[in-house]
Amino acid sequence: MRSVESGLRLLAHTAPESQVVSAALAVRVGSRSETSRWSGLAHLAEHVACGADTPGARALASAGGTCNAVTQPDFTVYHGYVAVEHGALLLDRLLEVLTAAEVTAERVRNEVAIVADELSAAVDGAVMGGFPWLWLPAALYDEPEFAHNGYGDMASLRRVTPEVLAGFFARHYVADNAVLAVCAPDPVSLLKRVPEVRRGTPSARPDRLPEVTPGPATVLAAPEQPHQATAVAWSLPHSPLTPGHLRASVLADVLVGPDDGVLEDSLPRALELAAYVGPFADPWDVAAPLPFVVEVHHEADEDPLGVPAAVVAVLKEWDVGEDLVVAAARRMGTELRQRLADPVTLPVLSVASELVHGGVERLADAPGRLADVSPAHLRAVADELVAAPYRVLTRGPRS
């Protein structure tokens, strides 16, 4: 890694046989950076920066390249790929993100409307309305920065002015706040041409963990849904890539397994089971706090409050053999190694890891550390969850 004088951090990954150049630019600003007054501003900024009809965007599209973006709780990442001979065009497009975006009233209105359409599609266009992630953060956490659904509050977004959004870009979209990674046959040559970009003060992220206390179930009536879905969620007390986090991730995998996990017998009428660590089942790209979630889809005639009781009973009686634990840990490690070996996904993982974990090396070490997880470790994590408060969210015909 090196930095240009402006403070932009650069990461080079060499892929000698690759026929494409892939790259990612991450900015340390996400939904946890927002205030309740301007909920959704990070996602709106991503839309404006990535969707702008700029010279760089047009040149990259003409070369057959792609550029997409996603807003996470702790950062926003812009990423894409293109044929090797057009690699410079991809870097030019990504670096446009750090220049002053043209923010007009019409642009703000158009992008707010698109965000509203996305939110509507996520609720109305998906089975169970994208359960649980539009509602689970608010059901689990009370603090606004942790309770964010990723889209923000539409009433707040409709109040955004060009001046408010321009100020957001000026504060956060600066070189000191960003990391650029390139994966190519000769990434160093491409990175040598990176120009100086505007400096600023790096963004801070929440430096405390929220306290989760026992509370009543959050019940969302959805009469049109075909069945009921119930989620039981804890907030892990462990930071990412610590032993507790890795062990909890393996525990979640063993609970459901690739075919039938240990929860299967306790919930025989479940239509679908899932267990995971992290928002959207990704344990690697988010700083603490990380949720531990068990998600159960079931018929509406079953009492949703029976789900957490069954899950806790399994955790209390936890006694899983070494074979299951080893297989789960190896499976998780193999999946992560595959993502790190993929030239297209590697830059995205590396910029995220640089901002969240302090370097991609820590993430690359995770498969080996997963291999050290034992049944006794999972027993300890299960005991930890049993003793901790959890929250319950249920959505479907049963109110």
Side-chain angles (χ1 to χ4, degrees):
M1 183 182 78
R2 75 176 182 91
S3 298
V4 293
E5 289 186 9
S6 64
L8 177 65
R9 282 168 283 175
L10 306 177
L11 304 174
H13 301 289
T14 303
E17 304 302 322
S18 180
Q19 298 300 304
V20 300
V21 170
S22 57
L25 176 80
V27 183
R28 191 196 296 278
V29 61
S31 57
R32 289 179 182 172
S33 309
E34 300 171 0
T35 64
S36 56
R37 174 170 172 76
W38 300 116
S39 176
L41 207 51
H43 185 216
L44 179 61
E46 173 226 305
H47 271 252
V48 171
C50 193
D53 184 18
T54 63
R58 291 192 293 271
L60 181 62
S62 296
T66 69
C67 184
N68 295 299
V70 63
T71 303
Q72 295 276 29
D74 304 293
F75 60 88
T76 304
V77 63
Y78 301 83
H79 58 94
Y81 56 90
V82 71
V84 167
E85 60 267 28
H86 300 300
L89 297 179
L90 176 59
L91 265 64
D92 290 344
R93 174 64 187 112
L94 292 176
L95 290 169
E96 280 184 332
V97 169
L98 293 179
T99 62
E102 182 182 2
V103 183
T104 64
E106 180 181 11
R107 183 79 179 154
V108 171
R109 283 195 303 271
N110 289 343
E111 296 302 332
V112 168
I114 292 172
V115 172
D117 288 343
E118 283 185 347
L119 182 57
S120 176
V123 176
D124 302 325
V127 175
M128 298 309 296
F131 181 90
W133 285 107
L134 290 178
W135 304 276
L136 186 57
L140 183 57
Y141 302 116
D142 298 321
E143 295 86 341
E145 65 266 36
F146 303 116
H148 204 291
N149 68 1
Y151 290 96
D153 176 67
M154 291 310 305
S156 172
L157 284 174
R158 292 188 177 102
R159 295 197 307 269
V160 173
T161 64
E163 293 75 20
V164 168
L165 191 54
F168 187 86
F169 276 118
R171 286 193 302 277
H172 300 292
Y173 278 65
V174 292
D176 311 64
N177 214 33
V179 181
L180 174 67
V182 176
C183 184
D186 185 8
V188 174
S189 294
L190 285 170
L191 289 172
K192 282 180 178 178
R193 61 186 303 277
V194 171
E196 296 300 313
V197 287
R198 185 169 52 92
R199 297 206 67 160
T201 303
S203 300
R205 63 185 180 205
D207 59 357
R208 58 186 174 79
L209 293 180
E211 181 180 357
V212 175
T213 57
T218 299
V219 180
L220 302 168
E224 75 286 357
Q225 295 297 343
H227 59 268
Q228 197 81 15
T230 301
V232 188
W234 289 260
S235 187
L236 285 180
H238 308 287
S239 297
L241 301 184
T242 59
H245 165 235
L246 296 175
R247 294 165 186 174
S249 300
V250 177
L251 174 72
D253 192 282
V254 174
L255 275 173
V256 295
D259 300 310
D260 53 341
V262 298
L263 267 181
E264 194 80 19
D265 291 339
S266 297
L267 293 162
R269 294 186 62 199
L271 304 174
E272 183 179 342
L273 288 170
Y276 41 86
V277 170
F280 303 100
D282 189 341
W284 312 121
D285 285 353
V286 181
L290 289 156
F292 183 102
V293 184
V294 177
E295 179 183 339
V296 182
H297 293 245
H298 55 92
E299 299 292 355
D301 61 356
E302 288 192 64
D303 184 3
L305 296 184
V307 171
V311 173
V312 170
V314 169
L315 294 174
K316 283 183 177 178
E317 299 164 6
W318 189 268
D319 184 18
V320 176
E322 187 172 0
D323 288 350
L324 274 179
V325 176
V326 169
R330 286 176 175 171
R331 185 165 53 246
M332 292 189 70
T334 299
E335 290 172 354
L336 181 55
R337 283 191 175 103
Q338 190 278 325
R339 291 177 65 188
L340 288 166
D342 185 334
V344 173
T345 57
L346 175 57
V348 178
L349 282 174
S350 62
V351 293
S353 298
E354 182 67 28
L355 292 182
V356 174
H357 308 310
V360 72
E361 297 82 8
R362 292 196 66 214
L363 189 61
D365 287 343
R369 297 173 64 200
L370 283 166
D372 294 331
V373 175
S374 69
H377 291 146
L378 299 200
R379 171 72 267 171
V381 175
D383 290 342
E384 188 176 56
L385 292 174
V386 168
Y390 58 81
R391 296 283 182 94
V392 178
L393 170 71
T394 188
R395 185 173 192 265
R398 181 166 181 152
S399 61

